[in-house]
Amino acid sequence: MGRRKEIEVEIRVLILGGTAEARALAAALTERDIPVVSSLAGRVARPRLPVGEVRVGGFGGPEGLAAWLAEHRIRAVVDATHPFAERISASAVAATRSAGVPLLRLERPGWEASPGDDWHWTSSLTEAAELLPELGGRVFLTTGRQGLPTFAHLDDLWFLIRCVDPPEPPLPKHHELLLNRGPYEVDGEAGLLRTRRIEVLVTKDSGGSMTAAKLVAARRLGLPVVLVRRPAPAGAPRTVTTVPAVLAWLPRAA
């Protein structure tokens, strides 16, 4: 037991975060006195901060990240970013390979359809926008603020747009903006769908429980859901789905 504690304390971990899983991992490592730095991209104005040391902002690409890892004597990297954060995940793979630092991907499982769901899968926001006119004229759009220009040309549709921070134009011509963040409850989501007379929900396959209530609400009301598939994996050597799995991996990464 003493030897295990000694090994763990020697590890200095970088968490590429911004997710609930990343915050849970930072808390678990801090409880075990394992030095940890959580890195946030800085795209959200008021992010939920994890416990422990936090840095905000980019690294300057894979080369900058590799240099940062060496400078700060990082012994292990856990990529716990959002499933759609393609750029930083790709940078993590390249940087850790260059620096010779072990990398683990912590990613929540994607959503799975249940009986009664009317799901329409697409491979991109562009495909989702093309599909919408066939499914309904009043849209609940929860794909994040950065992809909103993809839907800006759909002048015949009305959008309820929900995101954390105010988006920049272009936006759909007919819309209502709702600034909010999860977790959400099913009854609240169902009430929102009813009062706004929503006919179709559009979202990304983010997975997890914080925003899954909208899917249950759509099922209850018999509404179609357009889901954007996750991008292809960035190429991390291994992916796990739970914090305990990360804790089991860390001593072997030393």
Side-chain angles (χ1 to χ4, degrees):
M1 184 70 178
R3 176 57 180 165
R4 178 179 175 85
K5 180 65 173 179
E6 178 183 341
I7 292 175
E8 289 181 340
V9 170
E10 291 176 353
I11 302 174
R12 181 170 169 80
V13 181
L14 171 67
I15 300 175
L16 302 174
T19 61
E21 293 77 18
R23 293 189 293 273
L25 177 59
L29 294 178
T30 301
E31 289 176 0
R32 290 161 174 76
D33 295 324
I34 298 175
V36 58
V37 181
S38 295
S39 176
L40 306 180
R43 293 180 178 177
V44 177
R46 295 178 299 277
R48 291 190 176 100
L49 296 178
V51 298
E53 183 179 345
V54 178
R55 72 173 301 280
V56 178
F59 292 93
E63 297 82 4
L65 176 53
W68 193 93
L69 296 175
E71 178 184 353
H72 292 81
R73 302 187 304 278
I74 298 298
R75 299 286 300 277
V77 176
V78 179
D79 176 11
T81 56
H82 192 275
F84 285 82
E86 300 175 71
R87 182 176 300 178
I88 184 59
S89 291
S91 290
V93 171
T96 53
R97 184 179 297 134
S98 174
V101 176
L103 170 67
L104 184 70
R105 170 72 176 155
L106 171 60
E107 182 174 279
R108 71 187 74 143
W111 287 316
E112 296 184 2
S114 297
D117 282 326
D118 180 14
W119 286 7
H120 302 259
W121 288 95
T122 66
S123 60
S124 67
L125 291 176
T126 300
E127 286 189 11
E130 292 172 352
L131 184 60
L132 277 181
E134 304 175 12
L135 297 175
R138 295 183 65 84
V139 183
F140 186 21
L141 189 57
T142 64
T143 56
R145 61 189 173 96
Q146 291 185 321
L148 294 179
T150 307
F151 302 88
H153 66 287
L154 297 173
D155 293 343
D156 293 335
L157 307 184
W158 181 90
F159 291 85
L160 173 63
I161 300 171
R162 183 167 69 190
C163 48
V164 176
D165 292 322
E168 296 183 358
L171 301 177
K173 180 178 180 180
H174 307 290
H175 74 271
E176 175 186 347
L177 183 61
L178 180 61
L179 300 181
N180 204 343
R181 74 170 82 197
Y184 303 103
E185 297 182 353
V186 174
D187 288 345
E189 296 290 75
L192 187 65
L193 295 175
R194 289 193 187 97
T195 58
R196 301 312 197 278
R197 307 192 313 280
I198 297 299
E199 297 173 353
V200 55
L201 164 67
V202 184
T203 191
K204 294 178 177 179
D205 182 21
S206 300
S209 60
M210 289 188 65
T211 61
K214 61 192 173 188
L215 300 174
V216 180
R219 183 191 313 140
R220 285 186 180 180
L221 298 177
L223 300 181
V225 177
V226 177
L227 278 130
V228 181
R229 293 185 180 90
R230 295 181 177 186
R238 183 182 173 192
T239 298
V240 298
T241 59
T242 66
V243 168
V246 177
L247 299 177
W249 170 82
L250 280 174
R252 297 194 295 273

